[in-house]
Amino acid sequence: MIVLSTWNFGLPANKVAWQIVANNGTALDAVEHGVRHAEADPEVRSVGYGGMPDKDGIVTLDACIMDHYGNCGSVAYVKDIKHPVTLARRVMERTDHIMLVGEGASKFAESQGIMRDYLLTDDARTRWKKWKKTQDFQQVNWENHDTIGMIAMDGAGLFAGACTTSGLAWKMHGRVGDSPIIGSGLFVDGSVGAAVATGHGESIMKMCGSFLVVELMRNGATPMEACKAAARRIASTQPDWKKNQAGFLAMDIHGNVGGFSLRNGFQYAHSENGVHTLIDSEHLLPKEEHEVQST
Ligand code: ASP
C-alpha cells in the first residue's frame, strides 16, 4: 500500500487516505477522502473552500478522479460546491459522461443531494481586494497555485488517483487548467501505474503531462525517470519554462515512486508502511538560477 500526494498539505491528506487503505479500504475511497481533507481546509488557499478567486473575485473549482480500470469523472468551473472531487466521482459512477462544467455540474450536484455552498472566505476576499489595487498580472505565476493531486495503491494492488484545485489565483474568469483534465492533471492505468501533476496548468496541458509520465513508465522508465523526462519535455518545448513551476508524481505497479519538478520548492508526501514523509523534490532549474527567475 502506498499513498503519494502533492505539497505539504498532502501530509495530513495522506494520513486520511492511509487510514482507509490500512483498514482494507479501496484506493478509490482513499484518494477521494484524502483530497477532501485539503478541500475542506480554509488554510489551504489553492484548493476547495478557502481557495483564491479569479480576477473577478469568483472562486471556481476543478477536480477529477480516476480508477484502476480507466473509469474517470471530472468537473470544472464549479462555483458553489465545496467538494468537487466527490462530485467528479458521482459523474464517474452515476452518469454516462466524464466531464461536467459550471451550472450543469452544480445542478447535477443538487440532484445528488449535494448542497451548494458559498466558497469565498473572508480571508480570500481580503487578499483579492488587496490584489485588485495593483492587478499585478505578474502574480499569475509559480507562486500563486498548488493543487492537491493524490495517487494510491491499495492492499489489493489496485490504483486510483484524484486531483482538485481552485486553479491559479487571479486567473481569467472561465479559465480551467490541467487539474480536471484526464491525462493532464491525472492519469491512471492499472496495468502500468499512476501519475499526477501540479503547477502552471498551461505548461502541463501543452504536453498532456500525466499521460506522458504513465506512457513513459509503460515503455520501461521508472517513475522517477518518467517524471524527470516530463519536466525535461516542458523545458525543451516551452521557451519560457523557467518562469513557471510544474511538478509530477508517479508510482508503478512494482511500488516504485518518483517525483520531479521544474523549480525548487516542490514537495510531496509519501506514505508507506504507516510512515508518512514529506519529501523535497529534485528539480531541473539549478538553485542558483532561481533568484534571477523569480523576481
Ligand atoms: N495546476 C493548477 C492549475 O493550473 C494549479 C496548481 O497545481 O498549482 O490550475
Side-chain angles (χ1 to χ4, degrees), residues 7 46 62 144-148 165-168 175-179 197-202 204:
W7 305 106
S46 46
D62 309 323
N144 273 297
H145 48 81
D146 284 355
T147 293
I148 187 158
T165 193
S166 52
L168 302 178
R175 179 265 187 192
V176 173
D178 61 306
S179 303
T198 180
H200 185 244
E202 286 72 6
I204 296 161

mmCIF file with all atom_site columns, all heavy atoms in Angstrom, residues 7 46 62 144-148 165-168 175-179 197-202 204, ligand 1:
data_model
loop_
_atom_site.group_PDB
_atom_site.id
_atom_site.type_symbol
_atom_site.label_atom_id
_atom_site.label_alt_id
_atom_site.label_comp_id
_atom_site.label_asym_id
_atom_site.label_entity_id
_atom_site.label_seq_id
_atom_site.pdbx_PDB_ins_code
_atom_site.Cartn_x
_atom_site.Cartn_y
_atom_site.Cartn_z
_atom_site.occupancy
_atom_site.B_iso_or_equiv
_atom_site.pdbx_formal_charge
_atom_site.auth_seq_id
_atom_site.auth_comp_id
_atom_site.auth_asym_id
_atom_site.auth_atom_id
_atom_site.pdbx_PDB_model_num
ATOM   1   N N   . TRP A 1 7   ? 2.569   18.550 -2.366  1.00 0.00 ? 7   TRP A N   1
ATOM   2   C CA  . TRP A 1 7   ? 2.728   19.674 -1.444  1.00 0.00 ? 7   TRP A CA  1
ATOM   3   C C   . TRP A 1 7   ? 2.616   19.258 0.034   1.00 0.00 ? 7   TRP A C   1
ATOM   4   O O   . TRP A 1 7   ? 2.274   18.127 0.351   1.00 0.00 ? 7   TRP A O   1
ATOM   5   C CB  . TRP A 1 7   ? 1.741   20.812 -1.776  1.00 0.00 ? 7   TRP A CB  1
ATOM   6   C CG  . TRP A 1 7   ? 1.851   21.269 -3.199  1.00 0.00 ? 7   TRP A CG  1
ATOM   7   C CD1 . TRP A 1 7   ? 0.977   21.018 -4.208  1.00 0.00 ? 7   TRP A CD1 1
ATOM   8   C CD2 . TRP A 1 7   ? 2.933   22.022 -3.790  1.00 0.00 ? 7   TRP A CD2 1
ATOM   9   N NE1 . TRP A 1 7   ? 1.429   21.583 -5.385  1.00 0.00 ? 7   TRP A NE1 1
ATOM   10  C CE2 . TRP A 1 7   ? 2.618   22.203 -5.151  1.00 0.00 ? 7   TRP A CE2 1
ATOM   11  C CE3 . TRP A 1 7   ? 4.122   22.568 -3.293  1.00 0.00 ? 7   TRP A CE3 1
ATOM   12  C CZ2 . TRP A 1 7   ? 3.439   22.898 -6.033  1.00 0.00 ? 7   TRP A CZ2 1
ATOM   13  C CZ3 . TRP A 1 7   ? 4.942   23.270 -4.175  1.00 0.00 ? 7   TRP A CZ3 1
ATOM   14  C CH2 . TRP A 1 7   ? 4.598   23.428 -5.522  1.00 0.00 ? 7   TRP A CH2 1
ATOM   15  N N   . SER A 1 46  ? -5.381  27.146 -2.095  1.00 0.00 ? 46  SER A N   1
ATOM   16  C CA  . SER A 1 46  ? -5.304  26.836 -3.523  1.00 0.00 ? 46  SER A CA  1
ATOM   17  C C   . SER A 1 46  ? -6.156  25.633 -3.882  1.00 0.00 ? 46  SER A C   1
ATOM   18  O O   . SER A 1 46  ? -6.083  25.133 -5.009  1.00 0.00 ? 46  SER A O   1
ATOM   19  C CB  . SER A 1 46  ? -3.846  26.582 -3.899  1.00 0.00 ? 46  SER A CB  1
ATOM   20  O OG  . SER A 1 46  ? -3.253  25.720 -2.939  1.00 0.00 ? 46  SER A OG  1
ATOM   21  N N   . ASP A 1 62  ? -12.008 23.049 -9.800  1.00 0.00 ? 62  ASP A N   1
ATOM   22  C CA  . ASP A 1 62  ? -11.861 21.976 -10.792 1.00 0.00 ? 62  ASP A CA  1
ATOM   23  C C   . ASP A 1 62  ? -11.377 20.710 -10.085 1.00 0.00 ? 62  ASP A C   1
ATOM   24  O O   . ASP A 1 62  ? -10.526 20.805 -9.192  1.00 0.00 ? 62  ASP A O   1
ATOM   25  C CB  . ASP A 1 62  ? -10.780 22.336 -11.825 1.00 0.00 ? 62  ASP A CB  1
ATOM   26  C CG  . ASP A 1 62  ? -10.955 23.711 -12.459 1.00 0.00 ? 62  ASP A CG  1
ATOM   27  O OD1 . ASP A 1 62  ? -12.104 24.105 -12.702 1.00 0.00 ? 62  ASP A OD1 1
ATOM   28  O OD2 . ASP A 1 62  ? -9.928  24.370 -12.707 1.00 0.00 ? 62  ASP A OD2 1
ATOM   29  N N   . ASN A 1 144 ? 1.521   31.380 -7.074  1.00 0.00 ? 144 ASN A N   1
ATOM   30  C CA  . ASN A 1 144 ? 0.119   31.508 -6.696  1.00 0.00 ? 144 ASN A CA  1
ATOM   31  C C   . ASN A 1 144 ? -0.761  30.309 -7.014  1.00 0.00 ? 144 ASN A C   1
ATOM   32  O O   . ASN A 1 144 ? -1.900  30.458 -7.415  1.00 0.00 ? 144 ASN A O   1
ATOM   33  C CB  . ASN A 1 144 ? -0.464  32.746 -7.378  1.00 0.00 ? 144 ASN A CB  1
ATOM   34  C CG  . ASN A 1 144 ? -0.208  33.941 -6.523  1.00 0.00 ? 144 ASN A CG  1
ATOM   35  O OD1 . ASN A 1 144 ? -0.691  34.028 -5.412  1.00 0.00 ? 144 ASN A OD1 1
ATOM   36  N ND2 . ASN A 1 144 ? 0.610   34.837 -7.040  1.00 0.00 ? 144 ASN A ND2 1
ATOM   37  N N   . HIS A 1 145 ? -0.212  29.149 -6.811  1.00 0.00 ? 145 HIS A N   1
ATOM   38  C CA  . HIS A 1 145 ? -1.026  27.968 -7.059  1.00 0.00 ? 145 HIS A CA  1
ATOM   39  C C   . HIS A 1 145 ? -0.463  26.819 -6.259  1.00 0.00 ? 145 HIS A C   1
ATOM   40  O O   . HIS A 1 145 ? 0.561   26.963 -5.610  1.00 0.00 ? 145 HIS A O   1
ATOM   41  C CB  . HIS A 1 145 ? -1.029  27.633 -8.546  1.00 0.00 ? 145 HIS A CB  1
ATOM   42  C CG  . HIS A 1 145 ? 0.331   27.624 -9.170  1.00 0.00 ? 145 HIS A CG  1
ATOM   43  N ND1 . HIS A 1 145 ? 1.188   26.539 -9.064  1.00 0.00 ? 145 HIS A ND1 1
ATOM   44  C CD2 . HIS A 1 145 ? 1.008   28.556 -9.872  1.00 0.00 ? 145 HIS A CD2 1
ATOM   45  C CE1 . HIS A 1 145 ? 2.313   26.825 -9.705  1.00 0.00 ? 145 HIS A CE1 1
ATOM   46  N NE2 . HIS A 1 145 ? 2.241   28.048 -10.196 1.00 0.00 ? 145 HIS A NE2 1
ATOM   47  N N   . ASP A 1 146 ? -1.116  25.706 -6.279  1.00 0.00 ? 146 ASP A N   1
ATOM   48  C CA  . ASP A 1 146 ? -0.725  24.471 -5.602  1.00 0.00 ? 146 ASP A CA  1
ATOM   49  C C   . ASP A 1 146 ? -1.960  23.582 -5.495  1.00 0.00 ? 146 ASP A C   1
ATOM   50  O O   . ASP A 1 146 ? -2.794  23.779 -4.621  1.00 0.00 ? 146 ASP A O   1
ATOM   51  C CB  . ASP A 1 146 ? -0.211  24.687 -4.171  1.00 0.00 ? 146 ASP A CB  1
ATOM   52  C CG  . ASP A 1 146 ? 1.204   25.238 -4.123  1.00 0.00 ? 146 ASP A CG  1
ATOM   53  O OD1 . ASP A 1 146 ? 1.808   25.362 -5.192  1.00 0.00 ? 146 ASP A OD1 1
ATOM   54  O OD2 . ASP A 1 146 ? 1.668   25.534 -3.018  1.00 0.00 ? 146 ASP A OD2 1
ATOM   55  N N   . THR A 1 147 ? -2.029  22.631 -6.393  1.00 0.00 ? 147 THR A N   1
ATOM   56  C CA  . THR A 1 147 ? -3.141  21.691 -6.413  1.00 0.00 ? 147 THR A CA  1
ATOM   57  C C   . THR A 1 147 ? -2.837  20.515 -5.515  1.00 0.00 ? 147 THR A C   1
ATOM   58  O O   . THR A 1 147 ? -1.679  20.146 -5.391  1.00 0.00 ? 147 THR A O   1
ATOM   59  C CB  . THR A 1 147 ? -3.270  21.173 -7.862  1.00 0.00 ? 147 THR A CB  1
ATOM   60  O OG1 . THR A 1 147 ? -3.669  22.268 -8.670  1.00 0.00 ? 147 THR A OG1 1
ATOM   61  C CG2 . THR A 1 147 ? -4.234  20.035 -7.995  1.00 0.00 ? 147 THR A CG2 1
ATOM   62  N N   . ILE A 1 148 ? -3.881  19.884 -4.956  1.00 0.00 ? 148 ILE A N   1
ATOM   63  C CA  . ILE A 1 148 ? -3.581  18.571 -4.387  1.00 0.00 ? 148 ILE A CA  1
ATOM   64  C C   . ILE A 1 148 ? -3.921  17.484 -5.410  1.00 0.00 ? 148 ILE A C   1
ATOM   65  O O   . ILE A 1 148 ? -5.037  17.398 -5.918  1.00 0.00 ? 148 ILE A O   1
ATOM   66  C CB  . ILE A 1 148 ? -4.254  18.290 -3.025  1.00 0.00 ? 148 ILE A CB  1
ATOM   67  C CG1 . ILE A 1 148 ? -3.710  16.955 -2.481  1.00 0.00 ? 148 ILE A CG1 1
ATOM   68  C CG2 . ILE A 1 148 ? -5.766  18.309 -3.096  1.00 0.00 ? 148 ILE A CG2 1
ATOM   69  C CD1 . ILE A 1 148 ? -3.827  16.776 -0.992  1.00 0.00 ? 148 ILE A CD1 1
ATOM   70  N N   . THR A 1 165 ? -8.471  21.457 -7.256  1.00 0.00 ? 165 THR A N   1
ATOM   71  C CA  . THR A 1 165 ? -7.796  22.760 -7.196  1.00 0.00 ? 165 THR A CA  1
ATOM   72  C C   . THR A 1 165 ? -8.770  23.920 -7.325  1.00 0.00 ? 165 THR A C   1
ATOM   73  O O   . THR A 1 165 ? -9.870  23.758 -7.867  1.00 0.00 ? 165 THR A O   1
ATOM   74  C CB  . THR A 1 165 ? -6.774  22.852 -8.358  1.00 0.00 ? 165 THR A CB  1
ATOM   75  O OG1 . THR A 1 165 ? -5.909  23.964 -8.157  1.00 0.00 ? 165 THR A OG1 1
ATOM   76  C CG2 . THR A 1 165 ? -7.456  22.999 -9.706  1.00 0.00 ? 165 THR A CG2 1
ATOM   77  N N   . SER A 1 166 ? -8.336  25.086 -6.854  1.00 0.00 ? 166 SER A N   1
ATOM   78  C CA  . SER A 1 166 ? -9.042  26.320 -7.207  1.00 0.00 ? 166 SER A CA  1
ATOM   79  C C   . SER A 1 166 ? -8.307  27.009 -8.365  1.00 0.00 ? 166 SER A C   1
ATOM   80  O O   . SER A 1 166 ? -8.661  28.109 -8.762  1.00 0.00 ? 166 SER A O   1
ATOM   81  C CB  . SER A 1 166 ? -9.147  27.257 -6.002  1.00 0.00 ? 166 SER A CB  1
ATOM   82  O OG  . SER A 1 166 ? -7.887  27.477 -5.404  1.00 0.00 ? 166 SER A OG  1
ATOM   83  N N   . GLY A 1 167 ? -7.260  26.376 -8.862  1.00 0.00 ? 167 GLY A N   1
ATOM   84  C CA  . GLY A 1 167 ? -6.549  26.904 -10.034 1.00 0.00 ? 167 GLY A CA  1
ATOM   85  C C   . GLY A 1 167 ? -5.632  28.051 -9.665  1.00 0.00 ? 167 GLY A C   1
ATOM   86  O O   . GLY A 1 167 ? -5.362  28.320 -8.497  1.00 0.00 ? 167 GLY A O   1
ATOM   87  N N   . LEU A 1 168 ? -5.149  28.729 -10.652 1.00 0.00 ? 168 LEU A N   1
ATOM   88  C CA  . LEU A 1 168 ? -4.256  29.857 -10.410 1.00 0.00 ? 168 LEU A CA  1
ATOM   89  C C   . LEU A 1 168 ? -5.029  31.009 -9.774  1.00 0.00 ? 168 LEU A C   1
ATOM   90  O O   . LEU A 1 168 ? -6.123  31.337 -10.229 1.00 0.00 ? 168 LEU A O   1
ATOM   91  C CB  . LEU A 1 168 ? -3.663  30.362 -11.734 1.00 0.00 ? 168 LEU A CB  1
ATOM   92  C CG  . LEU A 1 168 ? -2.867  29.375 -12.576 1.00 0.00 ? 168 LEU A CG  1
ATOM   93  C CD1 . LEU A 1 168 ? -2.402  30.057 -13.866 1.00 0.00 ? 168 LEU A CD1 1
ATOM   94  C CD2 . LEU A 1 168 ? -1.669  28.841 -11.810 1.00 0.00 ? 168 LEU A CD2 1
ATOM   95  N N   . ARG A 1 175 ? -11.270 30.510 -16.844 1.00 0.00 ? 175 ARG A N   1
ATOM   96  C CA  . ARG A 1 175 ? -10.060 29.717 -17.119 1.00 0.00 ? 175 ARG A CA  1
ATOM   97  C C   . ARG A 1 175 ? -10.119 28.363 -16.391 1.00 0.00 ? 175 ARG A C   1
ATOM   98  O O   . ARG A 1 175 ? -10.466 28.285 -15.227 1.00 0.00 ? 175 ARG A O   1
ATOM   99  C CB  . ARG A 1 175 ? -8.827  30.508 -16.678 1.00 0.00 ? 175 ARG A CB  1
ATOM   100 C CG  . ARG A 1 175 ? -7.504  29.792 -16.892 1.00 0.00 ? 175 ARG A CG  1
ATOM   101 C CD  . ARG A 1 175 ? -7.047  29.056 -15.649 1.00 0.00 ? 175 ARG A CD  1
ATOM   102 N NE  . ARG A 1 175 ? -5.700  28.500 -15.796 1.00 0.00 ? 175 ARG A NE  1
ATOM   103 C CZ  . ARG A 1 175 ? -5.188  27.634 -14.931 1.00 0.00 ? 175 ARG A CZ  1
ATOM   104 N NH1 . ARG A 1 175 ? -5.869  27.233 -13.890 1.00 0.00 ? 175 ARG A NH1 1
ATOM   105 N NH2 . ARG A 1 175 ? -3.967  27.184 -15.115 1.00 0.00 ? 175 ARG A NH2 1
ATOM   106 N N   . VAL A 1 176 ? -9.782  27.314 -17.094 1.00 0.00 ? 176 VAL A N   1
ATOM   107 C CA  . VAL A 1 176 ? -9.659  25.987 -16.492 1.00 0.00 ? 176 VAL A CA  1
ATOM   108 C C   . VAL A 1 176 ? -8.259  25.481 -16.819 1.00 0.00 ? 176 VAL A C   1
ATOM   109 O O   . VAL A 1 176 ? -7.801  25.603 -17.961 1.00 0.00 ? 176 VAL A O   1
ATOM   110 C CB  . VAL A 1 176 ? -10.732 25.015 -17.046 1.00 0.00 ? 176 VAL A CB  1
ATOM   111 C CG1 . VAL A 1 176 ? -10.490 23.598 -16.553 1.00 0.00 ? 176 VAL A CG1 1
ATOM   112 C CG2 . VAL A 1 176 ? -12.128 25.489 -16.646 1.00 0.00 ? 176 VAL A CG2 1
ATOM   113 N N   . GLY A 1 177 ? -7.589  24.928 -15.839 1.00 0.00 ? 177 GLY A N   1
ATOM   114 C CA  . GLY A 1 177 ? -6.227  24.437 -16.052 1.00 0.00 ? 177 GLY A CA  1
ATOM   115 C C   . GLY A 1 177 ? -6.177  22.942 -16.281 1.00 0.00 ? 177 GLY A C   1
ATOM   116 O O   . GLY A 1 177 ? -7.141  22.320 -16.743 1.00 0.00 ? 177 GLY A O   1
ATOM   117 N N   . ASP A 1 178 ? -5.038  22.361 -15.956 1.00 0.00 ? 178 ASP A N   1
ATOM   118 C CA  . ASP A 1 178 ? -4.801  20.940 -16.227 1.00 0.00 ? 178 ASP A CA  1
ATOM   119 C C   . ASP A 1 178 ? -5.522  20.007 -15.250 1.00 0.00 ? 178 ASP A C   1
ATOM   120 O O   . ASP A 1 178 ? -5.795  18.851 -15.573 1.00 0.00 ? 178 ASP A O   1
ATOM   121 C CB  . ASP A 1 178 ? -3.298  20.648 -16.116 1.00 0.00 ? 178 ASP A CB  1
ATOM   122 C CG  . ASP A 1 178 ? -2.779  20.947 -14.709 1.00 0.00 ? 178 ASP A CG  1
ATOM   123 O OD1 . ASP A 1 178 ? -2.994  22.076 -14.225 1.00 0.00 ? 178 ASP A OD1 1
ATOM   124 O OD2 . ASP A 1 178 ? -2.175  20.047 -14.083 1.00 0.00 ? 178 ASP A OD2 1
ATOM   125 N N   . SER A 1 179 ? -5.800  20.509 -14.046 1.00 0.00 ? 179 SER A N   1
ATOM   126 C CA  . SER A 1 179 ? -6.170  19.608 -12.947 1.00 0.00 ? 179 SER A CA  1
ATOM   127 C C   . SER A 1 179 ? -7.393  18.718 -13.226 1.00 0.00 ? 179 SER A C   1
ATOM   128 O O   . SER A 1 179 ? -7.371  17.542 -12.842 1.00 0.00 ? 179 SER A O   1
ATOM   129 C CB  . SER A 1 179 ? -6.381  20.409 -11.663 1.00 0.00 ? 179 SER A CB  1
ATOM   130 O OG  . SER A 1 179 ? -5.213  21.137 -11.385 1.00 0.00 ? 179 SER A OG  1
ATOM   131 N N   . ALA A 1 197 ? -0.116  15.685 -11.679 1.00 0.00 ? 197 ALA A N   1
ATOM   132 C CA  . ALA A 1 197 ? 0.699   16.877 -11.926 1.00 0.00 ? 197 ALA A CA  1
ATOM   133 C C   . ALA A 1 197 ? 0.183   18.052 -11.115 1.00 0.00 ? 197 ALA A C   1
ATOM   134 O O   . ALA A 1 197 ? -0.990  18.111 -10.740 1.00 0.00 ? 197 ALA A O   1
ATOM   135 C CB  . ALA A 1 197 ? 0.654   17.236 -13.413 1.00 0.00 ? 197 ALA A CB  1
ATOM   136 N N   . THR A 1 198 ? 1.067   18.992 -10.857 1.00 0.00 ? 198 THR A N   1
ATOM   137 C CA  . THR A 1 198 ? 0.676   20.249 -10.231 1.00 0.00 ? 198 THR A CA  1
ATOM   138 C C   . THR A 1 198 ? 1.544   21.360 -10.799 1.00 0.00 ? 198 THR A C   1
ATOM   139 O O   . THR A 1 198 ? 2.607   21.101 -11.359 1.00 0.00 ? 198 THR A O   1
ATOM   140 C CB  . THR A 1 198 ? 0.829   20.189 -8.695  1.00 0.00 ? 198 THR A CB  1
ATOM   141 O OG1 . THR A 1 198 ? 0.433   21.454 -8.138  1.00 0.00 ? 198 THR A OG1 1
ATOM   142 C CG2 . THR A 1 198 ? 2.257   19.897 -8.275  1.00 0.00 ? 198 THR A CG2 1
ATOM   143 N N   . GLY A 1 199 ? 1.074   22.590 -10.637 1.00 0.00 ? 199 GLY A N   1
ATOM   144 C CA  . GLY A 1 199 ? 1.846   23.714 -11.142 1.00 0.00 ? 199 GLY A CA  1
ATOM   145 C C   . GLY A 1 199 ? 1.111   24.447 -12.241 1.00 0.00 ? 199 GLY A C   1
ATOM   146 O O   . GLY A 1 199 ? -0.121  24.355 -12.345 1.00 0.00 ? 199 GLY A O   1
ATOM   147 N N   . HIS A 1 200 ? 1.860   25.171 -13.042 1.00 0.00 ? 200 HIS A N   1
ATOM   148 C CA  . HIS A 1 200 ? 1.299   26.017 -14.096 1.00 0.00 ? 200 HIS A CA  1
ATOM   149 C C   . HIS A 1 200 ? 0.548   25.143 -15.117 1.00 0.00 ? 200 HIS A C   1
ATOM   150 O O   . HIS A 1 200 ? 1.164   24.459 -15.950 1.00 0.00 ? 200 HIS A O   1
ATOM   151 C CB  . HIS A 1 200 ? 2.442   26.792 -14.756 1.00 0.00 ? 200 HIS A CB  1
ATOM   152 C CG  . HIS A 1 200 ? 2.000   27.780 -15.768 1.00 0.00 ? 200 HIS A CG  1
ATOM   153 N ND1 . HIS A 1 200 ? 2.326   27.670 -17.100 1.00 0.00 ? 200 HIS A ND1 1
ATOM   154 C CD2 . HIS A 1 200 ? 1.246   28.903 -15.647 1.00 0.00 ? 200 HIS A CD2 1
ATOM   155 C CE1 . HIS A 1 200 ? 1.797   28.687 -17.758 1.00 0.00 ? 200 HIS A CE1 1
ATOM   156 N NE2 . HIS A 1 200 ? 1.151   29.450 -16.898 1.00 0.00 ? 200 HIS A NE2 1
ATOM   157 N N   . GLY A 1 201 ? -0.780  25.184 -15.014 1.00 0.00 ? 201 GLY A N   1
ATOM   158 C CA  . GLY A 1 201 ? -1.598  24.258 -15.780 1.00 0.00 ? 201 GLY A CA  1
ATOM   159 C C   . GLY A 1 201 ? -1.384  24.331 -17.277 1.00 0.00 ? 201 GLY A C   1
ATOM   160 O O   . GLY A 1 201 ? -1.389  23.307 -17.969 1.00 0.00 ? 201 GLY A O   1
ATOM   161 N N   . GLU A 1 202 ? -1.156  25.542 -17.788 1.00 0.00 ? 202 GLU A N   1
ATOM   162 C CA  . GLU A 1 202 ? -0.995  25.693 -19.232 1.00 0.00 ? 202 GLU A CA  1
ATOM   163 C C   . GLU A 1 202 ? 0.246   24.930 -19.711 1.00 0.00 ? 202 GLU A C   1
ATOM   164 O O   . GLU A 1 202 ? 0.235   24.309 -20.771 1.00 0.00 ? 202 GLU A O   1
ATOM   165 C CB  . GLU A 1 202 ? -0.905  27.179 -19.592 1.00 0.00 ? 202 GLU A CB  1
ATOM   166 C CG  . GLU A 1 202 ? -2.237  27.940 -19.511 1.00 0.00 ? 202 GLU A CG  1
ATOM   167 C CD  . GLU A 1 202 ? -2.758  28.186 -18.093 1.00 0.00 ? 202 GLU A CD  1
ATOM   168 O OE1 . GLU A 1 202 ? -2.034  27.874 -17.121 1.00 0.00 ? 202 GLU A OE1 1
ATOM   169 O OE2 . GLU A 1 202 ? -3.894  28.679 -17.971 1.00 0.00 ? 202 GLU A OE2 1
ATOM   170 N N   . ILE A 1 204 ? 1.459   22.266 -18.386 1.00 0.00 ? 204 ILE A N   1
ATOM   171 C CA  . ILE A 1 204 ? 1.199   20.824 -18.264 1.00 0.00 ? 204 ILE A CA  1
ATOM   172 C C   . ILE A 1 204 ? 0.238   20.355 -19.360 1.00 0.00 ? 204 ILE A C   1
ATOM   173 O O   . ILE A 1 204 ? 0.403   19.284 -19.945 1.00 0.00 ? 204 ILE A O   1
ATOM   174 C CB  . ILE A 1 204 ? 0.646   20.522 -16.855 1.00 0.00 ? 204 ILE A CB  1
ATOM   175 C CG1 . ILE A 1 204 ? 1.704   20.862 -15.792 1.00 0.00 ? 204 ILE A CG1 1
ATOM   176 C CG2 . ILE A 1 204 ? 0.208   19.069 -16.740 1.00 0.00 ? 204 ILE A CG2 1
ATOM   177 C CD1 . ILE A 1 204 ? 1.151   21.050 -14.389 1.00 0.00 ? 204 ILE A CD1 1
HETATM 178 N N1  . ASP B 2 .   ? -2.374  23.041 -11.935 1.00 0.00 ? 1   ASP B N1  1
HETATM 179 C C1  . ASP B 2 .   ? -3.233  24.000 -11.322 1.00 0.00 ? 1   ASP B C1  1
HETATM 180 C C2  . ASP B 2 .   ? -3.838  24.870 -12.373 1.00 0.00 ? 1   ASP B C2  1
HETATM 181 O O1  . ASP B 2 .   ? -3.140  25.270 -13.288 1.00 0.00 ? 1   ASP B O1  1
HETATM 182 C C3  . ASP B 2 .   ? -2.567  24.840 -10.305 1.00 0.00 ? 1   ASP B C3  1
HETATM 183 C C4  . ASP B 2 .   ? -1.543  24.137 -9.449  1.00 0.00 ? 1   ASP B C4  1
HETATM 184 O O2  . ASP B 2 .   ? -1.424  22.950 -9.434  1.00 0.00 ? 1   ASP B O2  1
HETATM 185 O O3  . ASP B 2 .   ? -0.800  24.782 -8.752  1.00 0.00 ? 1   ASP B O3  1
HETATM 186 O O4  . ASP B 2 .   ? -4.986  25.223 -12.268 1.00 0.00 ? 1   ASP B O4  1
#
